[in-house]
Amino acid sequence: MRKFNINVDGKNYVVEVEEVGGVATTPVVAPVASTPVVAPKATPVVGNGEPFKAPMPGTVLDICVANGATVKKGDTILVLEAMKMENNMTAQKDGVVTVAVSKGASVGSGDTLFTIA
């Protein structure tokens, strides 16, 4: 029996392997790939006002208003595709909108989509 330490998804395991026949060979050690450095996500520039956060991860399909436009409560600001469905993101109050994302952008749950001041 030979023992090996194996790391799978950050968890270490000790594995015992029975050697069956054959000629013993010198183990080959593969080079360890370095972990890529991921840059932190840039903070979008948003206006002063009440932020509207993405309720789910998705892709911005369309932006229905321009930055600085005056909107009324219930107006559609942008369309977010999530789980193969188009979801209208609407103004939660009257005010001036500042859009923090661009068309085609992928957003995560909790990312700021726009603000209304």
Side-chain angles (χ1 to χ4, degrees):
M1 285 284 190
R2 294 180 66 187
K3 285 188 179 182
F4 295 93
N5 290 323
I6 297 176
N7 184 311
V8 178
D9 292 329
K11 295 180 182 177
N12 289 316
Y13 299 93
V14 177
V15 179
E16 290 185 20
V17 179
E18 181 179 352
E19 196 169 326
V20 180
V23 179
T25 59
T26 305
V28 176
V29 178
V32 177
S34 63
T35 305
V37 176
V38 178
K41 195 172 188 180
T43 304
V45 176
V46 294
N48 296 330
E50 187 176 332
F52 183 90
K53 309 263 183 195
M56 63 197 88
T59 302
V60 178
L61 285 185
D62 193 21
I63 298 176
C64 304
V65 297
N67 270 332
T70 301
V71 296
K72 298 217 177 275
K73 182 177 181 176
D75 287 352
T76 299
I77 307 298
L78 59 86
V79 180
L80 182 68
E81 179 186 40
M83 300 184 291
K84 300 190 184 224
M85 293 182 65
E86 294 181 10
N87 302 281
N88 292 332
M89 301 293 117
T90 58
Q92 65 272 32
K93 66 177 188 174
D94 295 352
V96 176
V97 69
T98 302
V99 180
V101 294
S102 59
K103 187 174 178 177
S106 292
V107 297
S109 182
D111 289 353
T112 300
L113 299 176
F114 56 88
T115 59
I116 298 181

